[in-house]
mmCIF file with all atom_site columns, all heavy atoms in Angstrom:
data_model
loop_
_atom_site.group_PDB
_atom_site.id
_atom_site.type_symbol
_atom_site.label_atom_id
_atom_site.label_alt_id
_atom_site.label_comp_id
_atom_site.label_asym_id
_atom_site.label_entity_id
_atom_site.label_seq_id
_atom_site.pdbx_PDB_ins_code
_atom_site.Cartn_x
_atom_site.Cartn_y
_atom_site.Cartn_z
_atom_site.occupancy
_atom_site.B_iso_or_equiv
_atom_site.pdbx_formal_charge
_atom_site.auth_seq_id
_atom_site.auth_comp_id
_atom_site.auth_asym_id
_atom_site.auth_atom_id
_atom_site.pdbx_PDB_model_num
ATOM 1   N N   . VAL M 1 58 ? 129.611 38.051 9.121  1.00 0.00 ? 1366 VAL M N   1
ATOM 2   C CA  . VAL M 1 58 ? 129.837 38.418 7.735  1.00 0.00 ? 1366 VAL M CA  1
ATOM 3   C C   . VAL M 1 58 ? 130.680 39.661 7.600  1.00 0.00 ? 1366 VAL M C   1
ATOM 4   O O   . VAL M 1 58 ? 131.633 39.728 6.834  1.00 0.00 ? 1366 VAL M O   1
ATOM 5   C CB  . VAL M 1 58 ? 128.469 38.637 7.040  1.00 0.00 ? 1366 VAL M CB  1
ATOM 6   C CG1 . VAL M 1 58 ? 128.672 39.254 5.616  1.00 0.00 ? 1366 VAL M CG1 1
ATOM 7   C CG2 . VAL M 1 58 ? 127.697 37.298 6.902  1.00 0.00 ? 1366 VAL M CG2 1
ATOM 8   N N   . LYS M 1 59 ? 130.392 40.673 8.460  1.00 0.00 ? 1367 LYS M N   1
ATOM 9   C CA  . LYS M 1 59 ? 131.177 41.896 8.422  1.00 0.00 ? 1367 LYS M CA  1
ATOM 10  C C   . LYS M 1 59 ? 132.612 41.644 8.842  1.00 0.00 ? 1367 LYS M C   1
ATOM 11  O O   . LYS M 1 59 ? 133.526 42.207 8.243  1.00 0.00 ? 1367 LYS M O   1
ATOM 12  C CB  . LYS M 1 59 ? 130.519 42.934 9.357  1.00 0.00 ? 1367 LYS M CB  1
ATOM 13  C CG  . LYS M 1 59 ? 129.267 43.539 8.762  1.00 0.00 ? 1367 LYS M CG  1
ATOM 14  C CD  . LYS M 1 59 ? 128.560 44.546 9.596  1.00 0.00 ? 1367 LYS M CD  1
ATOM 15  C CE  . LYS M 1 59 ? 129.245 45.139 10.772 1.00 0.00 ? 1367 LYS M CE  1
ATOM 16  N NZ  . LYS M 1 59 ? 128.420 46.089 11.555 1.00 0.00 ? 1367 LYS M NZ  1
ATOM 17  N N   . THR M 1 60 ? 132.829 40.810 9.856  1.00 0.00 ? 1368 THR M N   1
ATOM 18  C CA  . THR M 1 60 ? 134.180 40.497 10.271 1.00 0.00 ? 1368 THR M CA  1
ATOM 19  C C   . THR M 1 60 ? 134.950 39.741 9.199  1.00 0.00 ? 1368 THR M C   1
ATOM 20  O O   . THR M 1 60 ? 136.097 40.055 8.874  1.00 0.00 ? 1368 THR M O   1
ATOM 21  C CB  . THR M 1 60 ? 134.160 39.651 11.571 1.00 0.00 ? 1368 THR M CB  1
ATOM 22  O OG1 . THR M 1 60 ? 133.401 40.391 12.559 1.00 0.00 ? 1368 THR M OG1 1
ATOM 23  C CG2 . THR M 1 60 ? 135.574 39.405 12.108 1.00 0.00 ? 1368 THR M CG2 1
ATOM 24  N N   . PHE M 1 61 ? 134.266 38.774 8.581  1.00 0.00 ? 1369 PHE M N   1
ATOM 25  C CA  . PHE M 1 61 ? 134.897 38.046 7.474  1.00 0.00 ? 1369 PHE M CA  1
ATOM 26  C C   . PHE M 1 61 ? 135.265 39.004 6.361  1.00 0.00 ? 1369 PHE M C   1
ATOM 27  O O   . PHE M 1 61 ? 136.422 38.953 5.865  1.00 0.00 ? 1369 PHE M O   1
ATOM 28  C CB  . PHE M 1 61 ? 133.932 37.008 6.923  1.00 0.00 ? 1369 PHE M CB  1
ATOM 29  C CG  . PHE M 1 61 ? 134.483 36.160 5.835  1.00 0.00 ? 1369 PHE M CG  1
ATOM 30  C CD1 . PHE M 1 61 ? 135.026 34.939 6.143  1.00 0.00 ? 1369 PHE M CD1 1
ATOM 31  C CD2 . PHE M 1 61 ? 134.422 36.551 4.494  1.00 0.00 ? 1369 PHE M CD2 1
ATOM 32  C CE1 . PHE M 1 61 ? 135.562 34.092 5.156  1.00 0.00 ? 1369 PHE M CE1 1
ATOM 33  C CE2 . PHE M 1 61 ? 134.961 35.773 3.498  1.00 0.00 ? 1369 PHE M CE2 1
ATOM 34  C CZ  . PHE M 1 61 ? 135.535 34.543 3.822  1.00 0.00 ? 1369 PHE M CZ  1
ATOM 35  N N   . ASP M 1 62 ? 134.420 39.907 6.013  1.00 0.00 ? 1370 ASP M N   1
ATOM 36  C CA  . ASP M 1 62 ? 134.676 40.874 4.959  1.00 0.00 ? 1370 ASP M CA  1
ATOM 37  C C   . ASP M 1 62 ? 135.817 41.797 5.323  1.00 0.00 ? 1370 ASP M C   1
ATOM 38  O O   . ASP M 1 62 ? 136.623 42.178 4.483  1.00 0.00 ? 1370 ASP M O   1
ATOM 39  C CB  . ASP M 1 62 ? 133.427 41.667 4.633  1.00 0.00 ? 1370 ASP M CB  1
ATOM 40  C CG  . ASP M 1 62 ? 133.556 42.516 3.383  1.00 0.00 ? 1370 ASP M CG  1
ATOM 41  O OD1 . ASP M 1 62 ? 134.019 41.995 2.378  1.00 0.00 ? 1370 ASP M OD1 1
ATOM 42  O OD2 . ASP M 1 62 ? 133.218 43.739 3.439  1.00 0.00 ? 1370 ASP M OD2 1
ATOM 43  N N   . MET M 1 63 ? 135.904 42.182 6.596  1.00 0.00 ? 1371 MET M N   1
ATOM 44  C CA  . MET M 1 63 ? 136.947 43.087 7.081  1.00 0.00 ? 1371 MET M CA  1
ATOM 45  C C   . MET M 1 63 ? 138.344 42.461 6.863  1.00 0.00 ? 1371 MET M C   1
ATOM 46  O O   . MET M 1 63 ? 139.255 43.097 6.409  1.00 0.00 ? 1371 MET M O   1
ATOM 47  C CB  . MET M 1 63 ? 136.768 43.401 8.523  1.00 0.00 ? 1371 MET M CB  1
ATOM 48  C CG  . MET M 1 63 ? 137.800 44.367 9.066  1.00 0.00 ? 1371 MET M CG  1
ATOM 49  S SD  . MET M 1 63 ? 137.429 44.902 10.789 1.00 0.00 ? 1371 MET M SD  1
ATOM 50  C CE  . MET M 1 63 ? 137.661 43.374 11.650 1.00 0.00 ? 1371 MET M CE  1
ATOM 51  N N   . TYR M 1 64 ? 138.448 41.154 7.150  1.00 0.00 ? 1372 TYR M N   1
ATOM 52  C CA  . TYR M 1 64 ? 139.770 40.489 7.063  1.00 0.00 ? 1372 TYR M CA  1
ATOM 53  C C   . TYR M 1 64 ? 140.055 39.939 5.673  1.00 0.00 ? 1372 TYR M C   1
ATOM 54  O O   . TYR M 1 64 ? 141.202 39.867 5.262  1.00 0.00 ? 1372 TYR M O   1
ATOM 55  C CB  . TYR M 1 64 ? 139.835 39.378 8.072  1.00 0.00 ? 1372 TYR M CB  1
ATOM 56  C CG  . TYR M 1 64 ? 140.063 39.859 9.453  1.00 0.00 ? 1372 TYR M CG  1
ATOM 57  C CD1 . TYR M 1 64 ? 139.028 40.004 10.362 1.00 0.00 ? 1372 TYR M CD1 1
ATOM 58  C CD2 . TYR M 1 64 ? 141.324 40.158 9.924  1.00 0.00 ? 1372 TYR M CD2 1
ATOM 59  C CE1 . TYR M 1 64 ? 139.231 40.491 11.652 1.00 0.00 ? 1372 TYR M CE1 1
ATOM 60  C CE2 . TYR M 1 64 ? 141.580 40.645 11.220 1.00 0.00 ? 1372 TYR M CE2 1
ATOM 61  C CZ  . TYR M 1 64 ? 140.507 40.772 12.075 1.00 0.00 ? 1372 TYR M CZ  1
ATOM 62  O OH  . TYR M 1 64 ? 140.723 41.250 13.358 1.00 0.00 ? 1372 TYR M OH  1
ATOM 63  N N   . PHE M 1 65 ? 139.007 39.524 4.949  1.00 0.00 ? 1373 PHE M N   1
ATOM 64  C CA  . PHE M 1 65 ? 139.255 38.818 3.669  1.00 0.00 ? 1373 PHE M CA  1
ATOM 65  C C   . PHE M 1 65 ? 138.606 39.440 2.484  1.00 0.00 ? 1373 PHE M C   1
ATOM 66  O O   . PHE M 1 65 ? 138.551 38.871 1.402  1.00 0.00 ? 1373 PHE M O   1
ATOM 67  C CB  . PHE M 1 65 ? 138.768 37.352 3.810  1.00 0.00 ? 1373 PHE M CB  1
ATOM 68  C CG  . PHE M 1 65 ? 139.396 36.669 4.989  1.00 0.00 ? 1373 PHE M CG  1
ATOM 69  C CD1 . PHE M 1 65 ? 138.643 36.340 6.109  1.00 0.00 ? 1373 PHE M CD1 1
ATOM 70  C CD2 . PHE M 1 65 ? 140.754 36.353 5.002  1.00 0.00 ? 1373 PHE M CD2 1
ATOM 71  C CE1 . PHE M 1 65 ? 139.229 35.726 7.206  1.00 0.00 ? 1373 PHE M CE1 1
ATOM 72  C CE2 . PHE M 1 65 ? 141.334 35.724 6.109  1.00 0.00 ? 1373 PHE M CE2 1
ATOM 73  C CZ  . PHE M 1 65 ? 140.577 35.419 7.183  1.00 0.00 ? 1373 PHE M CZ  1
ATOM 74  N N   . GLY M 1 66 ? 138.083 40.679 2.623  1.00 0.00 ? 1374 GLY M N   1
ATOM 75  C CA  . GLY M 1 66 ? 137.436 41.362 1.535  1.00 0.00 ? 1374 GLY M CA  1
ATOM 76  C C   . GLY M 1 66 ? 138.305 41.629 0.342  1.00 0.00 ? 1374 GLY M C   1
ATOM 77  O O   . GLY M 1 66 ? 137.826 41.798 -0.810 1.00 0.00 ? 1374 GLY M O   1
ATOM 78  N N   . ASP M 1 67 ? 139.618 41.658 0.538  1.00 0.00 ? 1375 ASP M N   1
ATOM 79  C CA  . ASP M 1 67 ? 140.539 41.861 -0.574 1.00 0.00 ? 1375 ASP M CA  1
ATOM 80  C C   . ASP M 1 67 ? 140.734 40.554 -1.378 1.00 0.00 ? 1375 ASP M C   1
ATOM 81  O O   . ASP M 1 67 ? 141.265 40.564 -2.471 1.00 0.00 ? 1375 ASP M O   1
ATOM 82  C CB  . ASP M 1 67 ? 141.922 42.265 -0.060 1.00 0.00 ? 1375 ASP M CB  1
ATOM 83  C CG  . ASP M 1 67 ? 141.950 43.646 0.498  1.00 0.00 ? 1375 ASP M CG  1
ATOM 84  O OD1 . ASP M 1 67 ? 140.995 44.450 0.161  1.00 0.00 ? 1375 ASP M OD1 1
ATOM 85  O OD2 . ASP M 1 67 ? 142.881 43.979 1.241  1.00 0.00 ? 1375 ASP M OD2 1
ATOM 86  N N   . TYR M 1 68 ? 140.295 39.429 -0.807 1.00 0.00 ? 1376 TYR M N   1
ATOM 87  C CA  . TYR M 1 68 ? 140.495 38.130 -1.459 1.00 0.00 ? 1376 TYR M CA  1
ATOM 88  C C   . TYR M 1 68 ? 139.201 37.456 -1.877 1.00 0.00 ? 1376 TYR M C   1
ATOM 89  O O   . TYR M 1 68 ? 139.218 36.579 -2.761 1.00 0.00 ? 1376 TYR M O   1
ATOM 90  C CB  . TYR M 1 68 ? 141.214 37.121 -0.502 1.00 0.00 ? 1376 TYR M CB  1
ATOM 91  C CG  . TYR M 1 68 ? 142.437 37.736 0.142  1.00 0.00 ? 1376 TYR M CG  1
ATOM 92  C CD1 . TYR M 1 68 ? 142.422 38.264 1.418  1.00 0.00 ? 1376 TYR M CD1 1
ATOM 93  C CD2 . TYR M 1 68 ? 143.627 37.846 -0.591 1.00 0.00 ? 1376 TYR M CD2 1
ATOM 94  C CE1 . TYR M 1 68 ? 143.560 38.806 1.983  1.00 0.00 ? 1376 TYR M CE1 1
ATOM 95  C CE2 . TYR M 1 68 ? 144.798 38.374 -0.014 1.00 0.00 ? 1376 TYR M CE2 1
ATOM 96  C CZ  . TYR M 1 68 ? 144.728 38.875 1.259  1.00 0.00 ? 1376 TYR M CZ  1
ATOM 97  O OH  . TYR M 1 68 ? 145.825 39.440 1.874  1.00 0.00 ? 1376 TYR M OH  1
ATOM 98  N N   . VAL M 1 69 ? 138.066 37.835 -1.234 1.00 0.00 ? 1377 VAL M N   1
ATOM 99  C CA  . VAL M 1 69 ? 136.824 37.147 -1.471 1.00 0.00 ? 1377 VAL M CA  1
ATOM 100 C C   . VAL M 1 69 ? 135.698 38.162 -1.731 1.00 0.00 ? 1377 VAL M C   1
ATOM 101 O O   . VAL M 1 69 ? 135.614 39.168 -1.036 1.00 0.00 ? 1377 VAL M O   1
ATOM 102 C CB  . VAL M 1 69 ? 136.429 36.292 -0.232 1.00 0.00 ? 1377 VAL M CB  1
ATOM 103 C CG1 . VAL M 1 69 ? 135.088 35.612 -0.398 1.00 0.00 ? 1377 VAL M CG1 1
ATOM 104 C CG2 . VAL M 1 69 ? 137.483 35.285 0.111  1.00 0.00 ? 1377 VAL M CG2 1
ATOM 105 N N   . ILE M 1 70 ? 134.866 37.891 -2.659 1.00 0.00 ? 1378 ILE M N   1
ATOM 106 C CA  . ILE M 1 70 ? 133.650 38.699 -2.892 1.00 0.00 ? 1378 ILE M CA  1
ATOM 107 C C   . ILE M 1 70 ? 132.491 37.985 -2.289 1.00 0.00 ? 1378 ILE M C   1
ATOM 108 O O   . ILE M 1 70 ? 132.225 36.780 -2.543 1.00 0.00 ? 1378 ILE M O   1
ATOM 109 C CB  . ILE M 1 70 ? 133.432 38.883 -4.426 1.00 0.00 ? 1378 ILE M CB  1
ATOM 110 C CG1 . ILE M 1 70 ? 134.616 39.611 -5.009 1.00 0.00 ? 1378 ILE M CG1 1
ATOM 111 C CG2 . ILE M 1 70 ? 132.121 39.572 -4.686 1.00 0.00 ? 1378 ILE M CG2 1
ATOM 112 C CD1 . ILE M 1 70 ? 134.645 39.614 -6.543 1.00 0.00 ? 1378 ILE M CD1 1
#
Side-chain angles (χ1 to χ4, degrees):
V1366 171
K1367 286 178 14 181
T1368 303
F1369 183 95
D1370 189 49
M1371 181 175 66
Y1372 284 96
F1373 305 110
D1375 291 341
Y1376 310 101
V1377 178
I1378 297 169

